[in-house]
């Protein structure tokens, strides 16, 4: 049965400091690279959310030993060449990152497997990954010509490819780079705009050589990796919900500690500034691997803005919460070039438009974005999460600026990326009433 959660606040104020859970993208990659590599990998700050747990389970089925104690993970891997053929289907749950990156990894392995997912993931396009993989020699087959899960993968000898990506997607780029690592010869991936580069950074941490020039990455096949220690910074995509809340609510001021500051992910900070919020970087560390630091966000009068072009991949997951923030800003906010939102855990353009409109916001959906006119007073109401964690969190944050309570249908999906979201919400907000 799908539950409902009621969230209501009386004159809320956000004050204090927050350490958000580990970065989802980096947590997945740490498990993947720790399992591809030979030997011991120790991860600190791992995100124990549903999606990343699915990645761990998959590698256990491939014979990798993975012990998790909360956010500490220890991996002992025999190395990719010694994985065992799984006796069960590999279930990626709701996780697009698990499915797409695993396709790249499994294609060049020596095992035969079947990859499955939940109802939402089984509708999401996989061809963007299977097409380039098949031209590298991968044997992947399934429904709709290999576009939809479940997919069967017979690990094969791959050859390098020179690939121009039609969409800026870190999942596609990473799948090809992982396949390229196992392939013969050189693999080149060319992007139209730079997407998150966690795979590239972490491959280097595990001892791989790769070359990055502008929007192009090159990797030589046949490299072996060695286990290492990985520290996962806080997920800026999770922090973004509370950053937007602090920006919207008068008198609020929140410090985010140990939050990831990789420049391919910090578009949200630029948009907060563009809209008038105060954003200060108080500390910055980790320049050699994944940058992280302390960021303070304070309220200011917000103005509408335009968000389009190359910044989109650096804030793609933040667009639902940015849309909510735009309902409280003066003037028009135009979001363009974000058609990718239509193929996320749900169609996020349709979901955000419908749910915010229910509260009285003025939101128009376009083919590749949204136009939001503000400021509007928001009423309370019944909002759906669509089983999409980021829509669920947007609904909860909307309760901070709505006149009445918000009832969220199916809030459990929030655990996909932020298991302790509601605890953090009540800890940060002074006058929170929840049922
Ligand atoms: C991710 C990349 C993005 C993002 C997703 C995580 C990743 O997807 O939306 O939540 O970890 O590589 P795309 O690569 O499809 O844009």
């Amino acid at each position: 049965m799908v539950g409902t959660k009621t969230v209501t606040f009386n004159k809320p104020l956000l004050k204090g400091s927050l350490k958000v859970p580990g970065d989802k993208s980096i947590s997945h990659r740490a498990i993947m690279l720790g399992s591809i590599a030979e030997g011991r990998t120790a991860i600190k700050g791992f995100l124990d959310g549903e999606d990343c747990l699915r990645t761990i389970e998959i590698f256990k089925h491939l014979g990798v030993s993975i012990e998790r104690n909360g956010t500490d993970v220890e991996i002992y891997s025999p190395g990719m060449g010694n994985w065992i053929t799984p006796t069960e289907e590999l279930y990626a749950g709701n996780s697009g990152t698990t499915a797409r990156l695993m396709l790249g990894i499994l294609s060049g392995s020596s095992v035969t497997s079947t990859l499955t997912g939940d109802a939402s993931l089984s509708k999401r396009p996989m061809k963007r990954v299977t097409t380039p993989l098949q031209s590298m020699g991968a044997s992947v087959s399934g429904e709709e010509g290999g576009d939809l899960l479940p997919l069967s993968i017979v690990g094969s000898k791959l050859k390098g490819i020179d690939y121009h990506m039609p969409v800026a997607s870190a999942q596609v780029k990473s799948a090809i780079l992982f396949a390229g690592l196992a392939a013969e010869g050189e693999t080149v991936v060319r992007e139209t705009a730079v997407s998150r580069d966690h795979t590239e950074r972490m491959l280097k941490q595990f001892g791989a050589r790769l070359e990055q020039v502008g929007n192009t990455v090159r990797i030589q096949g046949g490299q072996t990796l060695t286990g290492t220690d990985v520290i996962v910074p806080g997920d800026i995509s999770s922090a973004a919900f509370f950053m937007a809340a602090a920006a919207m609510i008068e008198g609020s001021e929140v410090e985010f500690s140990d939050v990831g500051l990789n420049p391919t992910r910090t578009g949200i900070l630029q948009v907060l500034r563009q809209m008038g919020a105060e954003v200060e970087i108080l500390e910055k560390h980790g320049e050699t691997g994944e940058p992280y630091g302390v960021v303070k966000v304070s309220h200011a009068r917000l103005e509408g803005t335009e968000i389009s072009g190359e910044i989109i991949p650096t804030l793609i997951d933040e667009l639902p919460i940015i849309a909510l923030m735009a309902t409280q800003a003066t003037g028009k906010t135009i979001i363009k070039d974000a058609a990718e939102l239509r193929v996320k855990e749900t169609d996020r353009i349709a979901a955000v438009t419908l749910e915010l409109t229910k509260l009285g916001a003025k939101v128009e959906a376009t083919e590749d974005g949204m136009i939001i006119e503000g400021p509007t007073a928001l009423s309370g109401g019944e909002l759906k999460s669509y089983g999409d964690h980021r829509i669920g969190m947007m609904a909860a944050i909307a309760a901070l600026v709505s006149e009445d309570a918000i009832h969220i249908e199916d809030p459990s999906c929030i655990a996909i990326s932020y298991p302790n979201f509601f605890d953090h919400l009540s800890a940060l907000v002074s006058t929170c009433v929840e049922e």
Side-chain angles (χ1 to χ4, degrees), residues 4-12 355-356 358-360 377-384 392 394-409 422 425 431-435:
T4 301
K5 186 169 184 86
T6 298
V7 190
T8 175
F9 299 95
N10 181 17
K11 294 199 175 61
E355 299 311 296
L356 292 180
K358 279 186 199 164
L359 303 179
L378 301 184
S379 66
E382 282 171 28
L383 297 192
K384 280 168 55 173
M394 179 200 76
I397 297 294
L400 288 164
V401 288
S402 67
E403 280 156 11
D404 298 303
I406 290 198
H407 311 279
I408 310 167
E409 188 188 303
F422 285 106
L425 181 61
T431 52
C432 170
V433 187
E434 272 185 65
E435 278 160 32

Side-chain angles (χ1 to χ4, degrees), residues 228 239 324:
T228 188
L324 171 67

Side-chain angles (χ1 to χ4, degrees), residues 28-342:
H28 280 299
R29 287 156 172 82
I31 300 295
M32 291 170 179
L33 282 166
S35 301
I36 292 171
E38 213 178 292
R40 176 181 183 268
T41 289
I43 308 169
K44 288 217 170 300
F46 176 76
L47 169 64
D48 52 349
E50 288 301 321
D51 275 13
C52 298
L53 297 178
R54 296 285 70 78
T55 297
I56 289 189
E57 288 312 309
I58 285 181
F59 282 104
K60 283 187 177 171
H61 286 303
L62 294 170
V64 179
S65 152
I66 308 181
E67 290 290 331
R68 184 175 69 83
N69 184 2
T71 60
D72 286 351
V73 182
E74 208 172 28
I75 304 176
Y76 286 93
S77 177
M80 182 169 172
N82 296 306
W83 290 345
I84 55 169
T85 291
T87 50
E88 286 171 43
E89 291 180 340
L90 304 176
Y91 179 62
N94 190 249
S95 177
T97 305
T98 307
R100 299 208 175 103
L101 273 56
M102 285 312 302
L103 284 169
I105 295 171
L106 291 165
S107 291
S109 75
S110 52
V111 304
T112 295
S113 55
T114 300
L115 197 60
T116 65
D118 72 3
S120 149
L121 187 58
S122 305
K123 288 193 206 107
R124 296 180 65 188
M126 296 294 147
K127 234 186 177 130
R128 50 182 56 206
V129 176
T130 54
T131 299
L133 290 176
Q134 281 159 343
S135 50
M136 295 175 82
S139 163
V140 184
S141 54
E143 298 285 307
E144 308 285 333
D147 194 27
L148 298 179
L149 295 182
L151 290 170
S152 300
I153 307 115
V154 181
S156 313
K157 285 247 162 300
L158 305 178
K159 18 179 216 333
I161 187 180
D162 187 336
Y163 191 65
H164 286 259
M165 297 206 324
V167 280
S169 159
Q171 292 179 353
V172 177
K173 173 176 64 177
S174 303
I176 301 171
L177 288 176
F178 282 139
L181 185 68
E184 198 183 288
E186 185 182 60
T187 290
V188 186
V189 187
R190 303 173 197 269
E191 292 192 279
T192 47
V194 178
S195 64
R196 62 193 69 192
D197 65 357
H198 305 303
T199 301
E200 295 90 309
R201 286 175 190 257
M202 208 182 284
L203 273 165
K204 288 184 192 156
Q205 260 180 283
F206 277 82
R209 288 176 321 286
L210 74 165
E211 205 184 291
Q212 287 163 278
V213 181
N215 296 4
T216 302
V217 193
R218 290 169 192 274
I219 190 163
Q220 284 296 333
Q223 303 188 48
T224 48
L225 306 184
T226 315
T228 188
D229 291 350
V230 180
I231 296 176
V232 182
D235 197 327
I236 191 166
S237 297
S238 298
F241 291 92
F242 293 109
M243 289 177 172
M248 285 190 289
I249 294 162
E250 209 175 327
S252 296
E253 200 178 83
V254 179
E255 262 186 42
F256 298 86
S257 59
D258 295 339
V259 67
L261 290 173
N262 179 319
T264 62
R265 295 286 298 283
T266 49
I268 177 67
L269 301 183
Q270 188 180 320
V271 166
L272 282 162
R273 287 189 176 120
Q274 259 169 244
M275 295 180 82
E278 276 180 46
V279 179
E280 283 173 78
I281 311 273
L282 302 178
E283 282 178 39
K284 201 166 174 193
H285 311 279
E287 276 69 15
T288 51
E290 282 289 348
Y292 65 94
V294 181
V295 180
K296 182 165 137 192
V297 178
S298 319
H299 166 79
R301 219 178 133 265
L302 299 178
E303 303 275 348
T305 190
E306 182 175 320
I307 306 162
S308 59
E310 293 211 338
I311 197 172
I312 294 291
T314 73
L315 47 65
I316 189 74
D317 292 336
E318 286 64 86
L319 289 167
I321 192 63
I322 289 174
L324 171 67
M325 200 163 55
T327 69
Q328 303 306 297
T330 304
K332 242 185 207 174
T333 294
I334 301 172
I335 300 170
K336 293 198 287 201
D337 306 322
E340 277 296 295
L341 289 179
R342 296 219 177 257

